Amino acid sequence: MNRVVVLEGAGVSTDRRAKLLKVLGGLVLLAALAAQANASPVGICLTNSGFGNGNISTAQYATAVVSAGCIPGFSSSLGSDGVVNPTSLAPGLTTATLTLTQPMTFGGNAVATSTASLNQGVLRDNSDTAGGLGGCGGTCTTTGGRAIAESAMSDNLHFTITNGASSAIVTFHADLDGTIGLEAGSNANNYNIMDEFILGGSGCWGSATGLGFQPCGSQNFGFLTSSFTNQSATGFDFTGTFQVTNGATDGFFAALNVDCQGGAACDFSNTASYSLSLPSNVTFTSDSGVLFSQTGTTAATPEPGTFGAVGVALLGAVALLRRSAKSRR
């Protein structure tokens, strides 16, 4: 993963928007899905990076290639005084948490913590570079560090319609609720947040210092109906509907990236959550056997304007995911 999100403000040129498609657009998500289609589609991935004191520390845990850059297993590369916790994780987990700590240039630590849980349908990322000013006599205007916390998960859902109906409408929910704090004297341009998700359709939303917050692609690609509500710099609520038929298989993918630096503390451990609301005649199972706690019917728990080309690309991503899922049945 390890990508920096950049959002366009309302007054930017069309040319700059086009260039940003390479960063925000379907190419990123399609690459992730291509990797996913060629490996086990079920698993979680956690990737943390910490920068400070001229050193970089990284750590990753993945159970499968659920997104581009995820390498199955546990690995870490620690700079001077860098710490990772835990120091190992068992293979095949469906819920896990990883924390990386790297001392920063002017005191304090850059801390990145990420959690992914297929069981709960949540991603939790926390990126903290606010630290404290004690390391430089209380006169620092920046802590000189950066922390990137990333998490992703993927699964396949198999739907059953129990009353003989040919099809049914299912509702997908995505919610993000975090906080962003800036240390006194911090520079601008110091946080980038991105949330991506696929189930029945595709969605993407982002927030960045000085550039505001917005869906980073069309608000409706693949869903029958869709809407982003309650948007702010620190979160949103999303609802989308899609149609299923008896025996249909749909792929689920979600990723959260929280990249903060220069005195920002970005706490999105309240979480990114994903869930389904099902009509009474629809149930599902998943390849993981634990997705959304396998309750069959789940309700949303509160916990990046419009780029048309992204919507087209992501529609292709949904089709790719559904075809690959069906070919494995």
Side-chain angles (χ1 to χ4, degrees), residues 173-198:
H173 306 275
D175 305 277
L176 183 66
D177 182 14
T179 63
I180 300 174
L182 301 179
E183 183 182 71
S186 295
N187 57 53
N189 303 318
N190 51 16
Y191 67 82
N192 291 278
I193 315 300
M194 186 176 186
D195 189 348
E196 302 169 275
F197 46 87
I198 290 178

Side-chain angles (χ1 to χ4, degrees), residues 116-210:
S117 175
L118 284 168
N119 310 53
Q120 300 177 55
V122 298
L123 300 175
R124 308 174 186 265
D125 288 350
N126 184 29
S127 172
D128 188 353
T129 63
L133 300 181
C136 56
T139 61
C140 296
T141 57
T142 176
T143 51
R146 180 181 181 186
I148 305 173
E150 301 177 273
S151 54
M153 57 185 172
S154 183
D155 207 341
N156 287 313
L157 288 78
H158 310 284
F159 290 96
T160 298
I161 300 177
T162 60
N163 66 349
S166 60
S167 64
I169 304 301
V170 171
T171 302
F172 173 68
H173 306 275
D175 305 277
L176 183 66
D177 182 14
T179 63
I180 300 174
L182 301 179
E183 183 182 71
S186 295
N187 57 53
N189 303 318
N190 51 16
Y191 67 82
N192 291 278
I193 315 300
M194 186 176 186
D195 189 348
E196 302 169 275
F197 46 87
I198 290 178
L199 182 56
S202 301
C204 177
W205 183 93
S207 175
T209 302

Side-chain angles (χ1 to χ4, degrees), residues 5 7 24 174-178 180 191-197 202-208 212-219 221 227-238 255-257 268 304-305 314:
V5 182
L7 291 180
L24 292 177
D175 305 277
L176 183 66
D177 182 14
I180 300 174
Y191 67 82
N192 291 278
I193 315 300
M194 186 176 186
D195 189 348
E196 302 169 275
F197 46 87
S202 301
C204 177
W205 183 93
S207 175
F213 52 88
Q214 57 186 316
C216 58
S218 169
Q219 294 189 23
F221 31 91
S227 64
F228 285 89
T229 59
N230 299 321
Q231 296 186 76
S232 70
T234 58
F236 65 91
D237 296 318
F238 173 86
L256 178 63
N257 176 300
F268 286 80
L314 289 175

Side-chain angles (χ1 to χ4, degrees), residues 11-328:
V12 299
S13 67
T14 300
D15 287 343
R16 290 195 64 199
R17 287 181 183 272
K19 291 178 182 178
L20 279 179
L21 290 177
K22 295 180 180 179
V23 180
L24 292 177
L27 295 179
V28 173
L29 196 49
L30 282 171
L33 292 173
Q36 179 182 8
N38 292 321
S40 170
V42 177
I44 62 175
C45 181
L46 308 172
T47 303
N48 293 332
S49 301
F51 303 76
N53 282 339
N55 294 295
I56 302 173
S57 291
T58 63
Q60 183 183 95
Y61 171 76
T63 56
V65 187
V66 303
S67 182
C70 292
I71 302 173
F74 181 93
S75 64
S76 65
S77 175
L78 301 180
S80 177
D81 298 321
V83 176
V84 61
N85 182 39
T87 56
S88 65
L89 285 164
L93 297 177
T94 56
T95 296
T97 298
L98 187 64
T99 297
L100 180 74
T101 302
Q102 173 62 45
M104 294 187 291
T105 304
F106 299 113
N109 296 307
V111 182
T113 298
S114 55
T115 295
S117 175
L118 284 168
N119 310 53
Q120 300 177 55
V122 298
L123 300 175
R124 308 174 186 265
D125 288 350
N126 184 29
S127 172
D128 188 353
T129 63
L133 300 181
C136 56
T139 61
C140 296
T141 57
T142 176
T143 51
R146 180 181 181 186
I148 305 173
E150 301 177 273
S151 54
M153 57 185 172
S154 183
D155 207 341
N156 287 313
L157 288 78
H158 310 284
F159 290 96
T160 298
I161 300 177
T162 60
N163 66 349
S166 60
S167 64
I169 304 301
V170 171
T171 302
F172 173 68
H173 306 275
D175 305 277
L176 183 66
D177 182 14
T179 63
I180 300 174
L182 301 179
E183 183 182 71
S186 295
N187 57 53
N189 303 318
N190 51 16
Y191 67 82
N192 291 278
I193 315 300
M194 186 176 186
D195 189 348
E196 302 169 275
F197 46 87
I198 290 178
L199 182 56
S202 301
C204 177
W205 183 93
S207 175
T209 302
L211 294 174
F213 52 88
Q214 57 186 316
C216 58
S218 169
Q219 294 189 23
N220 183 10
F221 31 91
F223 293 101
L224 296 176
T225 63
S226 63
S227 64
F228 285 89
T229 59
N230 299 321
Q231 296 186 76
S232 70
T234 58
F236 65 91
D237 296 318
F238 173 86
T239 300
T241 61
F242 62 101
Q243 180 175 282
V244 298
T245 57
N246 190 42
T249 295
D250 276 270
F252 168 62
F253 171 81
L256 178 63
N257 176 300
V258 178
D259 179 356
C260 291
Q261 56 186 303
C266 305
D267 186 353
F268 286 80
S269 56
N270 281 330
T271 70
S273 69
Y274 313 91
S275 60
L276 286 176
S277 293
L278 305 180
S280 60
N281 64 329
V282 177
T283 62
F284 78 90
T285 59
S286 71
D287 286 353
S288 72
V290 299
L291 185 64
F292 308 143
S293 298
Q294 296 297 116
T295 58
T297 302
T298 61
T301 302
E303 296 254 50
T306 297
F307 302 140
V310 180
V312 174
L314 289 175
L315 277 171
V318 176
L320 170 65
L321 198 61
R322 288 185 171 181
R323 287 198 300 271
S324 64
K326 289 180 180 178
S327 68
R328 288 189 293 271

